[in-house]
Amino acid sequence: MNNRQWVNLFFIGVSLLVIILLTSSFFLHDKFQKNTLEKKEYLIKENTPKIIFAGDSRAERQLSVSTALNILKYNKGDIVNIAVSSGDPIALNYLADKYPTKFKNSTVLVSISANQLNDNAKSKGYFSYSMISKLSYKEKIMTFFPNNITTLVGYYLSIVKNYLKTQFNLTKKNIYEETYGFNPVSGTLKARNITDRGIKAHPWYENYISGGLKYKIISNSLSSLANKVEKLYVYTAPFAPSYLAAMKEGRILNFEKSFKTQITNICNKHNITCINYLKIDELNDSHFYDGAHTNKLGAKIFTRKVLKDFRLAPIQ
């Protein structure tokens, strides 16, 4: 292609983006957040939970409902896990608004990870769609154009897709019904597969910068959520020891520590109890299936610890 053709292609792309933005925003934008937690919404609709486990994939795979039920002597349905991959407090606010009485009488425990404060984590899954929904037109363009435009396009396509599914009554199947939303994963971490290079390339830490746009959105969403529930607890999840060791005392470990400090500051500002787990003695590599997610056995151990640390269960 010559220069003129490249220029024409550029303007065509910009024009298409503007059309998508305008069409989606004016007609479908208010329907977006139904797309985020719809696979787990049934757990709130069909139960009256006393405790709600929520947040991202780490909570979904680390907080075992059956373990918590056994410890607390609760009945089935008293505890549910509505955490999902890329889940965040923004999406939770939507459900809390939809089911105000159920949330008002519940204790909510939310996991938050570093990508949720890293303004440069912009790829799909690391800049959540619910977070994008809070951005203005100008912020969307400035944040994603041109290098991460596919994330923004994916966001609007998800709105259209969800709208069409609603119109044709094509609902998604509920997931993890037998475990009340908990996703038990088997397998054991192989320490030899963990490298410093691999950790540095993780999308969570891409050109890490925090304290900006995402910080403001997360802070506002946690503040809002705290007023909609009986009690709100926040935690940051631990890593496998070998994964943490591979971080070394370098910039990635500093990023993670900085993230945990900022989450603590947000929670302190809004009088929310927060516990940061970087490494805990009760877990070793055999309790993880990858560097950041526990396996089934690790989830049982971590659930016990979380209930104890947040004083939701008797201290033994």
Side-chain angles (χ1 to χ4, degrees):
M1 286 188 177
N2 56 40
N3 290 339
R4 184 179 181 82
Q5 289 174 316
W6 277 115
V7 170
N8 290 338
L9 184 62
F10 172 80
F11 282 108
I12 290 173
V14 171
S15 299
L16 288 174
L17 176 61
V18 170
I19 292 172
I20 293 174
L21 285 171
L22 293 176
T23 302
S24 300
S25 296
F26 281 109
F27 297 103
L28 306 176
H29 184 78
D30 64 329
K31 299 180 181 295
F32 164 71
Q33 290 192 343
K34 294 179 182 179
N35 182 36
T36 320
L37 296 176
E38 64 177 355
K39 289 185 178 181
K40 295 283 189 79
E41 184 177 339
Y42 75 94
L43 290 164
I44 302 298
K45 184 177 180 180
E46 297 175 5
N47 300 286
T48 304
K50 297 178 181 178
I51 297 177
I52 299 173
F53 296 148
D56 58 14
S57 62
R58 300 173 90 179
E60 184 183 46
R61 300 161 202 178
Q62 288 179 339
L63 296 178
S64 167
V65 172
S66 62
T67 300
L69 288 174
N70 290 335
I71 292 173
L72 298 176
K73 309 301 181 185
Y74 283 179
N75 298 317
K76 289 183 177 180
D78 286 344
I79 303 175
V80 297
N81 187 324
I82 62 171
V84 297
S85 294
S86 303
D88 56 31
I90 302 101
L92 278 176
N93 270 285
Y94 164 75
L95 276 190
D97 290 337
K98 190 171 182 178
Y99 302 95
T101 302
K102 293 189 176 185
F103 272 83
K104 197 64 179 177
N105 296 319
S106 296
T107 293
V108 179
L109 184 62
V110 184
S111 69
I112 297 180
S113 297
N115 63 288
Q116 294 184 35
L117 289 191
N118 180 10
D119 284 339
N120 281 326
K122 300 176 183 179
S123 55
K124 182 179 178 181
Y126 300 105
F127 202 119
S128 73
Y129 286 168
S130 55
M131 192 172 284
I132 295 174
S133 73
K134 295 296 182 182
L135 302 182
S136 66
Y137 284 137
K138 181 180 178 181
E139 288 170 332
K140 288 172 186 171
I141 296 298
M142 292 183 66
T143 299
F144 297 103
F145 191 81
N147 294 334
N148 298 97
I149 196 65
T150 55
T151 301
L152 189 58
V153 172
Y155 161 73
Y156 282 108
L157 288 177
S158 75
I159 299 176
V160 175
K161 181 180 178 181
N162 188 58
Y163 177 75
L164 292 175
K165 283 170 50 184
T166 302
Q167 293 302 304
F168 292 100
N169 199 29
L170 301 174
T171 57
K172 288 187 178 180
K173 183 180 179 181
N174 300 336
I175 57 175
Y176 310 123
E177 292 183 86
E178 293 184 357
T179 55
Y180 285 82
F182 168 59
N183 178 9
V185 180
S186 302
T188 303
L189 174 69
K190 304 298 182 184
R192 64 176 179 272
N193 295 332
I194 300 173
T195 64
D196 178 58
R197 182 178 180 180
I199 294 174
K200 289 180 179 178
H202 198 293
W204 279 1
Y205 307 108
E206 184 177 356
N207 299 320
Y208 196 88
I209 180 171
S210 57
L213 195 59
K214 284 188 174 182
Y215 182 98
K216 179 180 178 180
I217 294 173
I218 290 294
S219 179
N220 290 341
S221 64
L222 285 174
S223 175
S224 178
L225 187 62
N227 294 319
K228 300 173 184 176
V229 303
E230 181 175 346
K231 190 69 178 178
L232 178 62
Y233 296 119
V234 172
Y235 80 91
T236 64
F239 293 95
S242 60
Y243 192 87
L244 192 60
M247 287 184 179
K248 301 177 180 177
E249 287 296 333
R251 63 187 185 95
I252 299 299
L253 184 57
N254 289 336
F255 291 158
E256 187 64 36
K257 289 179 177 179
S258 173
F259 152 70
K260 292 181 183 297
T261 297
Q262 289 185 318
I263 284 295
T264 299
N265 292 339
I266 289 173
C267 290
N268 288 341
K269 178 181 178 181
H270 302 303
N271 297 314
I272 299 169
T273 301
C274 175
I275 296 179
N276 290 309
Y277 298 105
L278 191 62
K279 176 182 180 296
I280 61 175
D281 295 336
E282 292 89 340
L283 297 175
N284 56 50
D285 283 353
S286 69
H287 298 130
F288 289 80
Y289 74 86
D290 70 14
H293 298 84
T294 58
N295 55 28
K296 290 189 291 186
L297 177 57
K300 292 180 180 179
I301 296 171
F302 186 64
T303 301
R304 293 192 195 101
K305 180 170 180 59
V306 165
L307 293 178
K308 176 183 175 182
D309 290 351
F310 282 103
R311 299 183 180 275
L312 297 174
I315 299 176
Q316 299 177 351

